[in-house]
mmCIF file of all heavy atoms in Angstrom:
data_model
loop_
_atom_site.group_PDB
_atom_site.id
_atom_site.type_symbol
_atom_site.label_atom_id
_atom_site.label_comp_id
_atom_site.label_asym_id
_atom_site.label_seq_id
_atom_site.Cartn_x
_atom_site.Cartn_y
_atom_site.Cartn_z
ATOM 1 N N HIS A 22 107.465 117.603 98.971
ATOM 2 C CA HIS A 22 108.808 117.870 98.465
ATOM 3 C C HIS A 22 109.359 116.577 97.876
ATOM 4 O O HIS A 22 109.392 115.545 98.539
ATOM 5 C CB HIS A 22 109.693 118.423 99.573
ATOM 6 C CG HIS A 22 109.112 119.688 100.148
ATOM 7 N ND1 HIS A 22 109.105 120.880 99.457
ATOM 8 C CD2 HIS A 22 108.467 119.931 101.313
ATOM 9 C CE1 HIS A 22 108.489 121.798 100.176
ATOM 10 N NE2 HIS A 22 108.095 121.245 101.309
ATOM 11 N N GLY A 26 114.350 117.781 95.887
ATOM 12 C CA GLY A 26 114.173 119.057 96.568
ATOM 13 C C GLY A 26 113.121 119.958 95.948
ATOM 14 O O GLY A 26 112.764 120.986 96.521
ATOM 15 N N THR A 28 109.304 121.081 94.583
ATOM 16 C CA THR A 28 107.966 120.976 95.171
ATOM 17 C C THR A 28 107.001 120.450 94.120
ATOM 18 O O THR A 28 107.043 120.868 92.959
ATOM 19 C CB THR A 28 107.490 122.354 95.672
ATOM 20 O OG1 THR A 28 108.430 122.824 96.646
ATOM 21 C CG2 THR A 28 106.122 122.264 96.313
ATOM 22 N N LEU A 141 102.995 130.567 93.864
ATOM 23 C CA LEU A 141 103.403 129.647 94.927
ATOM 24 C C LEU A 141 104.838 129.176 94.677
ATOM 25 O O LEU A 141 105.645 129.131 95.608
ATOM 26 C CB LEU A 141 102.444 128.447 94.980
ATOM 27 C CG LEU A 141 102.779 127.368 95.987
ATOM 28 C CD1 LEU A 141 102.724 127.907 97.404
ATOM 29 C CD2 LEU A 141 101.819 126.202 95.829
ATOM 30 N N ASP A 142 105.143 128.871 93.432
ATOM 31 C CA ASP A 142 106.494 128.437 93.065
ATOM 32 C C ASP A 142 107.509 129.522 93.470
ATOM 33 O O ASP A 142 108.546 129.234 94.057
ATOM 34 C CB ASP A 142 106.556 128.168 91.564
ATOM 35 C CG ASP A 142 107.783 127.380 91.150
ATOM 36 O OD1 ASP A 142 108.484 126.833 92.023
ATOM 37 O OD2 ASP A 142 108.045 127.298 89.935
ATOM 38 N N MET A 143 107.183 130.779 93.179
ATOM 39 C CA MET A 143 108.075 131.884 93.536
ATOM 40 C C MET A 143 108.157 132.078 95.052
ATOM 41 O O MET A 143 109.236 132.298 95.598
ATOM 42 C CB MET A 143 107.610 133.186 92.864
ATOM 43 C CG MET A 143 107.848 133.183 91.355
ATOM 44 S SD MET A 143 107.406 134.750 90.586
ATOM 45 C CE MET A 143 105.637 134.587 90.472
ATOM 46 N N GLN A 144 107.003 131.986 95.760
ATOM 47 C CA GLN A 144 106.983 132.154 97.216
ATOM 48 C C GLN A 144 107.842 131.102 97.908
ATOM 49 O O GLN A 144 108.590 131.393 98.829
ATOM 50 C CB GLN A 144 105.541 132.053 97.753
ATOM 51 C CG GLN A 144 104.664 133.219 97.387
ATOM 52 C CD GLN A 144 103.192 132.928 97.689
ATOM 53 O OE1 GLN A 144 102.805 131.805 97.991
ATOM 54 N NE2 GLN A 144 102.367 133.956 97.578
ATOM 55 N N LEU A 145 107.725 129.859 97.448
ATOM 56 C CA LEU A 145 108.488 128.759 98.050
ATOM 57 C C LEU A 145 109.979 128.913 97.759
ATOM 58 O O LEU A 145 110.817 128.595 98.598
ATOM 59 C CB LEU A 145 107.970 127.411 97.572
ATOM 60 C CG LEU A 145 106.557 127.055 98.043
ATOM 61 C CD1 LEU A 145 106.061 125.810 97.353
ATOM 62 C CD2 LEU A 145 106.494 126.902 99.551
ATOM 63 N N ALA A 146 110.331 129.424 96.576
ATOM 64 C CA ALA A 146 111.733 129.632 96.231
ATOM 65 C C ALA A 146 112.348 130.711 97.114
ATOM 66 O O ALA A 146 113.483 130.585 97.561
ATOM 67 C CB ALA A 146 111.858 130.007 94.751
ATOM 68 N N ILE A 147 111.572 131.755 97.396
ATOM 69 C CA ILE A 147 112.051 132.856 98.245
ATOM 70 C C ILE A 147 112.216 132.355 99.680
ATOM 71 O O ILE A 147 113.175 132.690 100.357
ATOM 72 C CB ILE A 147 111.084 134.051 98.173
ATOM 73 C CG1 ILE A 147 111.170 134.698 96.783
ATOM 74 C CG2 ILE A 147 111.393 135.081 99.255
ATOM 75 C CD1 ILE A 147 110.082 135.684 96.480
ATOM 76 N N ALA A 148 111.275 131.524 100.143
ATOM 77 C CA ALA A 148 111.303 131.033 101.522
ATOM 78 C C ALA A 148 112.434 130.041 101.764
ATOM 79 O O ALA A 148 112.885 129.850 102.875
ATOM 80 C CB ALA A 148 109.964 130.383 101.870
ATOM 81 N N ALA A 149 112.902 129.385 100.687
ATOM 82 C CA ALA A 149 113.932 128.345 100.831
ATOM 83 C C ALA A 149 115.310 128.899 101.120
ATOM 84 O O ALA A 149 115.609 130.014 101.028
ATOM 85 C CB ALA A 149 113.997 127.496 99.556
#
Side-chain angles (χ1 to χ4, degrees):
H22 302 288
T28 301
L141 177 63
D142 195 12
M143 289 184 280
Q144 290 168 350
L145 293 172
I147 290 168

